[in-house]
Amino acid sequence: MDIKLSSDFLTGLFFCSLGALAIIIGSDYPIGTAARMGAGYFPLMVSSGLILLGGILIIRSFLTETEEIGAIDVRPLLLLIGSILLFGLLIEDWGFPVAGLAVVIGARIAGRHYKPLETALLAVGLVGFCLVLFSYGLGLHLPATRLW
Amino acid sequence: MELFNDLLLGFSVALTPANLLYGFLGVLLGTVIGVLPGLGPVATISILLPVTFALPAPAALIMLAGIYYGAQYGGSTTAILVNLPGESSSVVTAIDGYQMARKGQAGLALATAALCSFIAGTLATLVIAVAAPALAEVALDFGPADYFSLMLFGLVAAVILAHGSVVKAIGMILVGILLGTIGIDANTSLERYTFGIPAFGDGIDFAVIAMGMFGIGETISNLGQSEGGRSFVKEVHGLWPRWADIKRFIKPALRGTFLGGCLGLLPGGGPVLASFSTYALEKKLSKTPGEFGKGAIEGVAGPEAANNAAAQTAFIPMLTLGLPSSAVMALMIGALMMQGLSPGPQLMNQRPDLFWGLIASMWLGNLMLVVLNLPLVGIWVKLLSVPYRMLYPAIMLFCCIGVYSINNNALDVMLAAIFGGFGYLMKRLHCEPAPLLLGFILGPMIEETLRRALLISHGDPMVFLQRPISLSFLVLTVLLLVVLIAPMIRVTRQRAFEESTD
C-alpha cells in the first residue's frame, strides 16, 4: 500500500495514538456527570478531540498533497538528548562537576567539527565557571563530586 | 490622583536597590542570551526562568520583565548586525536594519531601534497604568462560565500565532491540555496519568516543558543547520542620531506605538503582527517607498516601536484576566503560579505592590535598555563573533543546571531532555511548540472553570450561551474560527509567515 509519508499523516497518527493511549490509561478514572464531573470527564473530552483532529489530518493527507517531513538530523538529536539524560543520571550520585563535564562534552560531540582539545578546555572552563557562579555566587545547591 | 499614588507605590517597589539590581540583571542576562542567534525571547525566558524561582515575587517578575525586554532588544541587535532575526517579531527589523548596517549606519540603526523602543515603552507603560485597573474592574464580574469562554477564545486566537496548519495548532493545544492533566486532580484527589511516580503527583513543571521544547529543541534544530559563512557587520560607530534623523524617525515611532499598542491587546496578535503591519503602513505612507528594503530608517523605527509597544500591552490581558496572549505571557503566568499567585482581576487588589511594581519596572527596564545597550554595543558585537560551537554547549549546561535547580530532582532533567527531542520531532512535523505551552498553562484553568460553571448550572451547557459576557466571547471565537478556516485568508496568512520562517 502506498502511504505517503507526509507530515500531516504522521502528525495525525501521533495525535490519534496519543488520544487513544490517554483514553486507555484513563479508562479507570470515574467519568461522573456533567454537573458532577469525575476525574476522567475532562481528559476523555480532550483525548476524543485529539483523535478527531488526528483523523482529519490522516484523511486530509490522502486527499491533498502535503508537506513532506524534512530531513531529521539524527546525530544532534540523539547525542544532545543523550548527553542531557546522562547529566540527569550522573548528577545525584557523581555530583555536578562530573555531570557537567559529561553534558558539555556530549553536546560538543553532537555538533560538527569536533576538536578534542578545544572541547576539553571548554568543558573544564564552563564547569568551573558555573561552579563559582551558581554554587558559591548564587548559593544554589549542586551536588558535589567527592574524590576519594 | 489615585493613579499618581499607585504609580508612586510602584516606583517605591521598583526602586529599592535589590529590585533595581534584579531588573538590571534581567535586562543584562536577557540581552546576553537574546543576542545569540537562534534564541528568541521565549527560549531566553525559558532558560533563565529557574534563576528567578528563589526570589520573592515582585523581584522575580521584575527580573523576568527585564529578561523579556532584554531578549527582545538583543534579537533586534542580531537582526541589524547579522541579518539573523532571533524571533519572528524582529524579522522586519532585519530588512532595513541590516541594509543600514551594511551602508555603515549600524550605530544609527541600533540607536534608532533602542530609542524608538524606549518611546514606545514609555507610552505603552502609561496605557497599562490607565487601562489595566479599569479592565480588572470589569473582570471582577466574570463568572466561571465567562472565564471558560474567554480562555477558549484566547486559545483559538493563539492559533494565529502558530505558523502553518490550524488543525495541527489546535492539536498541539490539546496535547498541552492533556499534559496539564497529569498529577493529582484537585477536585477528587485522584491521581491521573502519574504512572505511579510520586514526583508526577504535582504535575510536570511547566519550566521543564518550556526549557525542553524551546531551549533544547531549538538547539537541536540549530545544530542541524550548517553554521556557514555568516557575514556580519563588525564596525559600529556614529551611535548618536543627528537631529535630522530624529525628525525622520519620530513620526513612524509614534504611529508604530499606536498600532502596536492596539494589536498587542488582542490575544494572538502580539509583536509579530504589530511589526509586520507597521512596516506595511510606513511603506504606504512614505514619499519614497523605493527606499524601503534598502536601508530606510523609517523601516527600523516603526516596527521596533510597534513590537515593543505590543510586547508591553500584552501584559494587560495577562495581568487583568489571567489570559496569556502569547507564549511569553504564558511563561509569565507560569512564573506567577510558581510564586503561589494566580493572575487575574484579584491580583491588583491582593498584591498592589506587585502589580504597580511591575508596571514601574517596565518603564525602568526600558530606560535601562537605552542606558545599557548603547554603550555596551561593542560587547554585543564581540559576543556575536564567538562561534556557535562554543556557545551552545554552555547553553545546554545552563539548561541542565536550571532544570535541576527547580526541585533538585534529576528526573526533571531527563524529562526536559525527552521534551527537547519531542519538540524537535514535532517541529519537523510542522507543529509549533508555542500552542502546546499555552494549552498546558490554560488547561487546568479551563477544566476548573468548566467544572464550576456546570456545577452551578446543574449540568446544563446552555449556561455558556445565557450569560452575555460568555456568549460574546463564544461568538468571537466562532468568528475567529471562520476567519481562520476561510481559504483566502489562509493563503495570505501563509504568505505573511513564509517571510518570517526563512
Side-chain angles (χ1 to χ4, degrees):
Chain A
M1 203 172 89
D2 176 35
I3 297 174
K4 278 173 282 181
L5 225 55
S6 70
S7 76
D8 272 9
F9 180 76
L10 270 186
T11 313
L13 209 60
F14 167 71
F15 284 168
C16 283
S17 5
L18 189 72
L21 195 70
I23 290 180
I24 293 167
I25 298 174
S27 57
D28 310 340
Y29 307 152
I31 307 282
T33 62
R36 293 204 166 273
M37 284 185 201
Y41 198 102
F42 188 68
L44 184 66
M45 270 173 64
V46 177
S47 313
S48 314
L50 207 51
I51 292 176
L52 181 76
L53 287 178
I56 294 176
L57 281 173
I58 291 177
I59 293 168
R60 198 171 77 176
S61 76
F62 287 112
L63 296 180
T64 52
E65 287 285 320
T66 54
E67 297 160 292
E68 303 279 308
I69 321 158
I72 290 177
D73 303 291
V74 181
R75 181 187 159 107
L77 176 66
L78 292 182
L79 282 173
L80 207 62
I81 300 303
S83 57
I84 295 167
L85 284 175
L86 198 62
F87 180 95
L89 288 173
L90 289 175
I91 181 97
E92 261 157 21
D93 295 330
W94 289 84
F96 168 70
V98 173
L101 289 176
V103 76
V104 175
I105 294 170
R108 189 59 196 86
I109 295 174
R112 287 159 216 247
H113 316 296
Y114 162 70
K115 295 189 193 92
L117 183 66
E118 186 189 274
T119 306
L121 286 176
L122 182 71
V124 172
L126 276 175
V127 169
F129 172 75
C130 285
L131 210 55
V132 172
L133 179 70
F134 290 106
S135 259
Y136 302 108
L138 293 171
L140 222 61
H141 166 73
L142 292 173
T145 294
R146 277 182 289 275
L147 300 165
W148 64 94
Chain B
M1 218 49 226
E2 202 188 329
L3 179 72
F4 181 74
N5 282 336
D6 287 336
L7 279 178
L8 207 64
L9 168 72
F11 275 102
S12 72
V13 173
L15 282 175
T16 59
N19 285 349
L20 216 51
L21 180 73
Y22 285 124
F24 172 77
L25 267 179
V27 170
L28 187 71
L29 284 173
T31 316
V32 167
I33 300 200
V35 156
L36 306 179
L39 285 175
V42 186
T44 308
I45 296 178
S46 309
I47 291 168
L48 292 173
L49 203 57
V51 181
T52 66
F53 287 162
L55 303 176
L61 267 198
I62 287 169
M63 188 167 175
L64 277 173
I67 292 171
Y68 181 25
Y69 302 136
Q72 195 141 38
Y73 187 73
S76 310
T77 307
T78 326
I80 289 170
L81 294 179
V82 201
N83 196 18
L84 237 166
E87 29 131 5
S88 29
S89 72
S90 48
V91 168
V92 186
T93 311
I95 303 173
D96 278 287
Y98 183 62
Q99 293 306 323
M100 281 180 79
R102 281 187 51 189
K103 286 198 291 190
Q105 295 179 318
L108 180 62
L110 287 169
T112 304
L115 290 173
C116 291
S117 295
F118 177 68
I119 295 171
T122 308
L123 292 174
T125 306
L126 273 175
V127 172
I128 298 180
V130 176
L135 197 60
E137 199 84 13
V138 176
L140 278 174
D141 295 334
F142 280 25
D146 305 325
Y147 265 112
F148 176 80
S149 307
L150 170 69
M151 277 184 271
L152 212 61
F153 168 68
L155 280 180
V156 171
V159 168
I160 303 174
L161 277 176
H163 311 176
S165 163
V166 176
V167 183
K168 282 180 185 170
I170 298 178
M172 287 301 270
I173 290 177
L174 290 183
V175 174
I177 295 180
L178 209 53
L179 284 170
T181 60
I182 293 177
I184 293 169
D185 172 29
N187 288 40
T188 57
S189 27
L190 206 82
E191 285 193 10
R192 293 192 290 195
Y193 306 112
T194 54
F195 304 101
I197 300 169
F200 281 1
D202 295 331
I204 302 176
D205 245 305
F206 90 105
V208 171
I209 295 184
M211 210 176 306
M213 294 196 76
F214 290 102
I216 300 171
E218 299 279 291
T219 307
I220 301 174
S221 304
N222 287 343
L223 283 182
Q225 292 151 8
S226 60
E227 207 169 323
R230 285 203 304 258
S231 62
F232 70 92
V233 181
K234 293 189 185 76
E235 294 291 308
V236 178
H237 44 73
L239 214 50
W240 289 107
R242 287 166 300 144
W243 182 238
D245 298 322
I246 295 177
K247 266 196 351 222
R248 271 186 80 185
F249 73 56
I250 189 80
K251 270 190 196 153
L254 291 176
R255 281 193 291 261
T257 306
F258 179 74
L259 198 59
C262 295
L263 288 172
L265 281 173
L266 301 176
V272 185
L273 200 59
S275 57
F276 272 99
S277 31
T278 308
Y279 190 77
L281 177 76
E282 286 308 322
K283 201 169 169 179
K284 204 160 274 171
L285 287 176
S286 170
K287 290 191 195 84
T288 50
E291 259 185 56
F292 278 77
K294 299 194 185 85
I297 193 169
E298 294 91 345
V300 177
E304 274 298 300
N307 76 32
N308 207 43
Q312 299 261 55
T313 49
F315 274 94
I316 295 179
M318 191 279 265
L319 283 171
T320 55
L321 305 172
L323 182 77
S325 54
S326 64
V328 172
M329 287 304 129
L331 288 171
M332 292 282 175
I333 290 192
L336 273 171
M337 290 191 202
M338 285 294 222
Q339 301 280 354
L341 296 163
S342 58
Q346 315 85 1
L347 183 74
M348 200 176 61
N349 295 324
Q350 283 167 2
R351 295 294 302 271
D353 60 322
L354 194 133
F355 185 86
W356 293 103
L358 178 65
I359 287 177
S361 68
M362 282 178 188
W363 186 76
L364 286 174
N366 278 298
L367 184 67
M368 279 179 199
L369 269 182
V370 176
V371 177
L372 183 77
N373 278 310
L374 292 182
L376 291 186
V377 100
I379 296 179
W380 309 141
V381 175
K382 283 225 176 58
L383 200 62
L384 279 174
S385 48
V386 176
Y388 189 67
R389 64 171 197 279
M390 313 283 275
L391 287 174
Y392 80 85
I395 295 169
M396 286 303 100
L397 184 61
F398 291 151
C399 277
C400 285
I401 297 174
V403 174
Y404 180 72
S405 62
I406 304 171
N407 296 320
N408 283 332
N409 187 348
L411 188 68
D412 282 345
V413 180
M414 294 191 239
L415 263 182
I418 291 165
F419 274 109
F422 172 66
Y424 172 75
L425 289 176
M426 288 319 280
K427 218 167 174 170
R428 301 309 311 170
L429 292 175
H430 309 284
C431 294
E432 293 289 314
L436 182 142
L437 194 69
L438 281 175
F440 181 76
I441 296 275
L442 286 181
M445 291 193 245
I446 290 184
E447 180 176 13
E448 184 58 35
T449 48
L450 178 70
R451 277 180 165 182
R452 286 211 332 248
L454 286 179
L455 184 70
I456 295 168
S457 75
H458 304 288
D460 179 12
M462 290 307 285
V463 66
F464 296 110
L465 300 178
Q466 280 155 358
R467 291 185 61 101
I469 302 174
S470 167
L471 180 68
S472 17
F473 281 125
L474 286 180
V475 169
L476 278 174
T477 311
V478 171
L479 278 179
L480 259 183
L481 273 176
V482 169
V483 166
L484 275 179
I485 291 164
M488 233 185 72
I489 292 156
R490 217 162 69 193
V491 172
T492 39
R493 187 168 141 271
Q494 203 128 24
R495 205 176 294 145
F497 276 119
E498 254 157 29
E499 291 166 44
S500 70
T501 41
D502 292 336

